[in-house]
Amino acid sequence: MTAFRIGSPIDRREFLRHGGRSAGAIALGGGALLQGCGSNPTLPEPETRPTLRTPRDIDAAGALLAAGAAELDLGSHASRAWGYNGALPGPTLRARVGDHVQISVLNQLSENTTVHWHGLVVPTAMDGHPADAVPPAGSYVYEYPVVQRAAMNWYHPHPHGRTGQQVWRGLAGALIVADPAAERGLPAGDREIPLLLRDGLLDDSGQLEYRRRDSGMVGDFPLINGVPYPAITLAPALYRLRVLNAANARVFRLGMSNASRMTLIGNDGGLLERSMDVNAIELGPGERVDVLVDLSGEATGSRISLRCLRARWDLLEVYVSGERDQGWGAPSAFAPIPRLPVSPGARRREFRFEGHRRINGLEYHMDRIDFRVPRGDTEIWGLESSGGAPHPVHVHGASFQVLSRSGGRAQVFPWEQGWKDTVLLEDDERVEVAIRFDAYAGVYLLHCHKLEHEDAGMMLNFEVT
Ligand SMILES: [Cu+2]
């Protein structure tokens, strides 16, 4: 069988520089796969890059999600995959602050699954805990009030030991909570674009392949909203990009090809207090950012790309064309975010993320409660890496505020302000967060969101009492 590889123009230069050592590789580009059994990779020319797709929007109040078989369209051919309602990513669920949502999930897989609403604070029975597994042919109705701020959240499986496999095969989608009053003045409609970033890997027959590795499953090409190396035509105007790192283990470092700045306005927990111009944003698995990109000064016909500066991938190529709109004055200040009140006697807890499978020496056990947290108390949690990083640490049941980072990168980044539910730990780093569980008593999870670490046991149960 032919080996399939997907490369970007950046990869092509790399390839040439290294003397074509990935001989035999070919590339996939939109509808124009240039097949060759020769020694050079044939990469998508700009004109043949596939068009970015945007997942279909559905109302979260009364939604039906069927987890089952799907196809990943790679231009030249389709790969078998899994998806919600036959799509990967799944439909974008839309809700407003204060809504009561009801989402019926039907399991059409041949294994257990659950759905976790990452970023939403919901009762334990609605949180997709592995103990609430939905068996094959079973269904589960997830129903809860939307009690937190407007933000881009997401949904994905959380079954015991199988999360990495299920997410990699394609089970993931966005859940965007809106608040029209708080978001007034921001680009909307077709000027607001959700971007779900992940990577992929194909086997020798061109099928999406999952290889479980202790160090985390990483692929060798990007998928943006399920499209490899896509392109999009945008007007010379202001756009709002809602970006999610939906990869199993890959950290993306986002930047624009022309060094133009992105204006950061929000993250996991919604809008920040004020916007900030940044050149690069580092995003670990599970994290989200909300950015404005101003194309209003760009010439028609120009090309700009959103890049991953770590992988040196062109994630999304933008062709600028259409009617110019320079009149947009987006707000630069949003609602104040009160700091959680930390008293001098606040309880402190320490969590060491060790290697590939343990927190404080423990591997996850579904029926064991590892610690108890009084509801309504603000606590300080110290999160520390002890090998095996990056560890994107995620907490269910509440958002938190990042107080400090010592060691390693030794700073709190602009995209770590406000409310977070996932924070990236590199090796030798210790991050302190303030956290308070206000909404519900019950059992929740603290875990690494590198999904192979999570599946290997880097997860704890705790009970809010
Ligand atoms: Cu980890």
Side-chain angles (χ1 to χ4, degrees):
M1 297 296 264
T2 312
F4 285 80
R5 273 175 203 276
I6 296 182
S8 72
I10 296 176
D11 295 329
R12 172 188 233 167
R13 288 194 292 274
E14 274 298 290
F15 176 86
L16 294 171
R17 190 177 311 143
H18 291 101
R21 66 184 172 208
S22 19
I26 65 165
L28 306 173
L33 172 71
L34 305 175
Q35 294 236 13
C37 300
S39 56
N40 287 327
T42 311
L43 297 156
E45 293 304 325
E47 293 72 20
T48 63
R49 288 179 73 144
T51 302
L52 181 77
R53 288 191 296 265
T54 303
R56 192 164 65 90
D57 282 345
I58 60 174
D59 189 344
L64 175 67
L65 290 178
E71 283 196 340
L72 174 62
D73 179 3
L74 293 164
S76 59
H77 71 286
S79 166
R80 289 183 299 276
W82 295 351
Y84 291 109
N85 299 356
L88 62 152
T92 297
L93 298 173
R94 296 273 179 179
R96 287 188 178 201
V97 172
D99 278 0
H100 189 94
V101 306
Q102 188 188 63
I103 305 162
S104 301
V105 172
L106 185 61
N107 182 4
Q108 296 177 331
L109 305 169
S110 56
E111 60 187 60
N112 286 348
T113 193
T114 70
V115 181
H116 172 57
W117 315 95
H118 185 133
L120 291 162
V121 174
V122 301
T124 297
M126 300 297 142
D127 200 40
H129 192 278
D132 295 315
V134 185
S139 62
Y140 199 99
V141 179
Y142 294 90
E143 190 174 0
Y144 48 83
V146 176
V147 297
Q148 66 278 313
R149 306 170 81 222
M152 184 196 211
N153 304 288
W154 63 303
Y155 60 95
H156 63 75
H158 219 303
H160 190 48
R162 297 285 292 176
T163 299
Q165 167 99 251
Q166 292 190 8
V167 172
W168 184 266
R169 295 204 177 281
L171 292 167
L175 193 166
I176 296 180
V177 175
D179 181 344
E183 297 173 281
R184 189 169 296 130
L186 293 173
D190 60 8
R191 301 266 175 95
E192 178 192 3
I193 303 172
L195 296 174
L196 284 71
L197 313 182
R198 58 165 291 181
D199 48 357
L201 183 75
L202 306 183
D203 67 14
D204 286 348
S205 59
Q207 297 294 304
L208 189 65
E209 181 180 23
Y210 184 66
R211 292 184 204 152
R212 183 163 167 169
R213 298 175 169 92
D214 281 355
S215 57
M217 176 66 206
V218 290
D220 61 6
F221 67 94
L223 286 165
I224 316 305
N225 295 348
V227 182
Y229 291 114
I232 188 171
T233 299
L234 298 178
L238 185 69
Y239 285 86
R240 181 182 185 188
L241 306 182
R242 316 288 302 265
V243 187
L244 158 67
N245 181 346
N248 281 38
R250 178 177 291 278
V251 176
F252 288 91
R253 186 172 174 82
L254 304 175
M256 302 299 293
S257 59
N258 63 353
S260 69
R261 288 166 181 269
M262 300 172 286
T263 301
L264 175 74
I265 58 169
N267 61 0
D268 303 0
L271 294 168
L272 302 172
E273 289 186 329
R274 61 191 64 83
S275 66
M276 185 177 292
D277 287 346
V278 292
N279 287 316
I281 296 172
E282 199 135 62
L283 207 58
E287 294 187 283
R288 289 87 73 200
V289 285
D290 196 342
V291 296
L292 300 178
V293 174
D294 189 0
L295 304 175
S296 65
E298 301 295 333
T300 289
S302 58
R303 291 184 167 137
I304 295 167
S305 52
L306 175 68
R307 286 189 165 162
C308 175
L309 305 172
R310 274 194 175 213
R312 293 193 286 173
W313 283 342
D314 265 351
L315 300 172
L316 173 66
E317 185 156 38
V318 176
Y319 307 150
V320 180
S321 178
E323 199 166 329
R324 191 169 302 278
D325 180 0
Q326 286 180 309
W328 203 288
S332 57
F334 306 100
I337 299 175
R339 304 299 296 171
L340 282 172
V342 180
S343 66
R347 186 179 290 100
R348 304 180 81 90
R349 302 179 197 268
E350 293 295 325
F351 301 99
R352 282 169 60 89
F353 291 77
E354 299 159 340
H356 298 309
R357 56 180 69 236
R358 289 187 180 83
I359 304 173
N360 293 349
L362 297 172
E363 281 181 31
Y364 183 66
H365 194 292
M366 197 158 66
D367 304 320
R368 185 189 66 217
I369 302 295
D370 295 298
F371 60 101
R372 288 186 166 78
V373 182
R375 184 172 165 187
D377 286 3
T378 301
E379 300 193 348
I380 306 291
W381 290 10
L383 312 170
E384 190 179 342
S385 172
S386 176
H391 299 296
V393 176
H394 175 49
V395 184
H396 295 211
S399 294
F400 52 78
Q401 294 177 345
V402 180
L403 302 176
S404 65
R405 174 181 282 105
S406 52
R409 294 170 293 160
Q411 60 178 297
V412 176
F413 293 96
W415 52 90
E416 296 177 322
Q417 305 168 80
W419 290 104
K420 291 283 289 173
D421 55 59
T422 307
V423 66
L424 189 62
L425 282 186
E426 291 286 2
D427 270 330
D428 304 317
E429 288 186 358
R430 182 173 181 282
V431 169
E432 272 197 356
V433 306
I435 191 164
R436 184 176 71 193
F437 295 84
D438 285 328
Y440 303 105
V443 176
Y444 293 98
L445 294 164
L446 162 69
H447 66 90
C448 180
H449 216 285
K450 185 187 280 182
L451 300 180
E452 289 67 37
H453 284 183
E454 171 184 333
D455 284 342
M458 193 174 273
M459 181 155 78
L460 300 177
N461 282 322
F462 61 92
E463 185 176 12
V464 177
T465 58

